Amino acid sequence: MHLLKAEHVTHRFGGLCAVSDFNLRLEPGELVGLIGPNGAGKTTVFNLMTGVYEASQGSIEFEGEELVGQSPSEIHALGMARTFQNIRLFKKMTVLDNVRLARYAKLGYNPIEALFHIGRFRSEEKKILAHARELLELFDLAGHLGELAENLPYGLQRKLEIVRALASNPRILLLDEPAAGMNPAEIGHLMAFIQKIRKDFGLTIVLIEHQMRLVMGICERLVVLDFGATIAEGLPRDIQSHPKVLEAYLGEETPG
Amino acid sequence: MNMRWTIGVGLLAGFGLCWAIPHYEWLDPYVQLVLMYLGINIILTASLNLVNGYMGEFSVGHAGFMAVGAYVASILTVLVFPEEGSAYYFPLAIMGGGLGAAATGLIVSIPSFRARGDYLAIVTLAFNMIVKSVLENLEVVGGPRGFMGMEQLTTLPWVYVWVVITIWILRNLVYSKYGRGMAAIREDEIVCDLCGVHTRRVKISAFLVSAFFAGVAGGLYAHLLQFINPRMFDILKSTEVLIMLYLGGMASLGGSMIGATIYTVVMEVLRAQGGFRMVLMPLLLIFLMLFRPRGIFGLKEFSWLIPWRDLLLMRQLRTRKEVPRASAEG
Ligand SMILES: Nc1ncnc2c1ncn2[C@@H]1O[C@H](COP(=O)(O)OP(=O)(O)OP(=O)(O)O)[C@@H](O)[C@H]1O
Ligand SMILES: [Mg+2]
């Protein structure tokens, strides 16, 4: 069975058809690139997969479970986490709390235990603190634990967003333009970083990216979107010379 | 550990003082009355801070919850509970008032699932007006003439105990996963949901707890004045709580205590000035918003109001930060 199967997914904003008949199948452990010109509908696909929007038509199945109609928190609980094109951290919360929040659903105490700080409250909070620390230590963010997220330098904010996504031990990670605003050296680091987390956390990754070096360098498969429709799908080197893709990008930067 | 002892001793000493002041008449009865108002105002402000400060919603009908608490508690002591031993039933009546208010809080939390910001403000405003007009039309509780017959059961020690309970419970909630959830809703509700937080449940809990303590404050208020009428709980009363909240500062229990204290004291000092005081306070607020928009103590907290584990952690992180680290790229 496929880990994720999106079929005939269509989504309209009023009269605008942002995604039309989108199809995607993910095998466990894959690293798939989702590319396409500006406004092609890539981010909308992520929003549909994570429950921010409900698809007008079509179905998205996660290990056979239908995602369309489920809330973001329910989909998150199944093992889907993401980052955002424009960084969306909880700015006025500490680095530590940004990560702790992402494990909210894994904390096993109820409101009464929280109101009186009794029962499982102490042990569960201790566990989550240890976990968050370990994770931030692993990504060299431990020195910033107590800082407000908004005070981190840009690069670290990007990183923290990924760490926050990893905090809930997701199965599928969706990265929306992780290389935005990075210089070539940083992009090199990022490529190694993505490969590493995929291996260490056993992730399946879908990556939206305009940086062709990154996409061609690490993705095993590419899906090309234009005007909300899938226009090509295949190995990176085949996609590079695909006539429809060249046409879609005409007037924009040429892939490669 | 040492700090916990100090807090424990301080709390006991505070209680002793609140018991001794009326017992030995250490203070003028008028000053005692002001102290009790102050306690009630602290409960109101801190409870509103949960929804408006920590969770970043804009609820403007807090007096509506207060009214429900005041009426339910008064009905309980006057009409339901037996007359003898009324002092023993008093805490139950206050709890009842709190629970009644919490039930209405549940109803108000439902529109908050969809509406935010200005829209929610209008919903809560309408709620406040509905409560007032329902009470005005309920003949059993005296309609617009109001309801009386309560004994003066609210005493300084009782107010003190309820202030301590309120602050303690709110603090516990704020320093838990629900508190983090509320802060994350304030920062970015959609991302909060995407991080696995059942945002509706968090909102319900915030409104429930906030309304509960507003109801407690209402019950105490009713048994201090021994007379209530619907007009006491109108939009003006809600505005008063908002002023105390924004004066003290958002997302800070210490701020709520400061805001309530300044407001209560200044209003009493200016009582002789008549109408002038109704101008001064809003003016003060305007200046504050211009020069210190987060309030006097916004987003800060007294260390004794922070659970000691969190305090230890914060101190540890602060010292750690000063150690220079070679930051490696992952
Ligand atoms: N909430 C919304 N309401 C209305 N239209 C929207 C909304 N979100 C996106 N759109 C429109 O849908 C289309 C697809 O947008 P989307 O953000 O998915 O593109 P994208 O492929 O991520 O583009 P980019 O590379 O610029 O990030 C665009 O035309 C956009 O204007
Ligand atoms: Mg996009």
Side-chain angles (χ1 to χ4, degrees), chain B residues 168-203:
Chain B
W168 182 66
I169 295 278
L170 290 176
R171 179 207 80 159
N172 285 350
L173 194 60
V174 165
Y175 289 94
S176 77
K177 65 171 178 175
Y178 299 100
R180 286 195 290 272
M182 287 172 207
I185 287 176
R186 175 189 73 213
E187 295 297 309
D188 192 328
E189 188 173 340
I190 292 173
V191 178
C192 181
D193 206 343
L194 284 165
C195 283
V197 178
H198 203 301
T199 48
R200 291 189 173 189
R201 227 172 274 164
V202 174
K203 282 182 173 179

Side-chain angles (χ1 to χ4, degrees), chain B residues 219-240:
Chain B
L220 291 171
Y221 190 68
H223 289 84
L224 182 58
L225 289 179
Q226 297 174 266
F227 165 72
I228 46 175
N229 72 34
R231 256 165 305 133
M232 290 173 175
F233 308 102
D234 59 4
I235 309 297
L236 255 151
K237 184 74 197 174
S238 296
T239 315
E240 211 175 83

Side-chain angles (χ1 to χ4, degrees), chain A residues 84-99:
Chain A
F84 302 86
Q85 190 168 349
N86 316 308
I87 303 174
R88 283 173 83 171
L89 288 168
F90 304 116
K91 291 191 185 127
K92 290 256 184 304
M93 289 169 68
T94 59
V95 170
L96 176 67
D97 279 351
N98 267 274
V99 174

Side-chain angles (χ1 to χ4, degrees), chain B residues 32-142:
Chain B
Q32 290 185 33
L33 194 67
V34 174
L35 282 178
M36 285 189 269
Y37 279 132
L38 169 60
I40 292 169
N41 282 342
I42 289 176
I43 297 174
L44 281 173
T45 312
S47 58
L48 182 61
N49 210 335
L50 193 66
V51 168
N52 284 27
Y54 289 97
M55 203 162 71
E57 300 281 3
F58 192 54
S59 166
V60 298
H62 215 46
F65 301 122
M66 193 189 175
V68 174
Y71 273 85
V72 171
S74 303
I75 289 168
L76 286 175
T77 55
V78 175
L79 301 175
V80 180
F81 292 150
E83 206 158 327
E84 71 244 50
S86 58
Y88 295 98
Y89 288 111
F90 183 50
L92 284 182
I94 297 293
M95 283 289 286
L99 291 175
T104 47
L106 184 70
I107 299 169
V108 173
S109 74
I110 291 166
S112 85
F113 297 159
R114 303 197 151 268
R116 264 202 84 101
D118 310 347
Y119 299 102
L120 187 70
I122 290 167
V123 170
T124 54
L125 191 75
F127 159 76
N128 198 159
M129 289 154 88
I130 290 169
V131 168
K132 185 174 162 248
S133 53
V134 165
L135 289 172
E136 275 172 346
N137 289 297
L138 266 184
E139 269 311 314
V140 253
V141 291

Side-chain angles (χ1 to χ4, degrees), chain A residues 230-247:
Chain A
T230 313
I231 54 166
E233 199 178 339
L235 297 174
R237 54 190 155 77
D238 299 337
I239 292 293
Q240 248 171 322
S241 50
H242 197 289
K244 272 194 182 165
V245 178
L246 290 176
E247 194 188 306

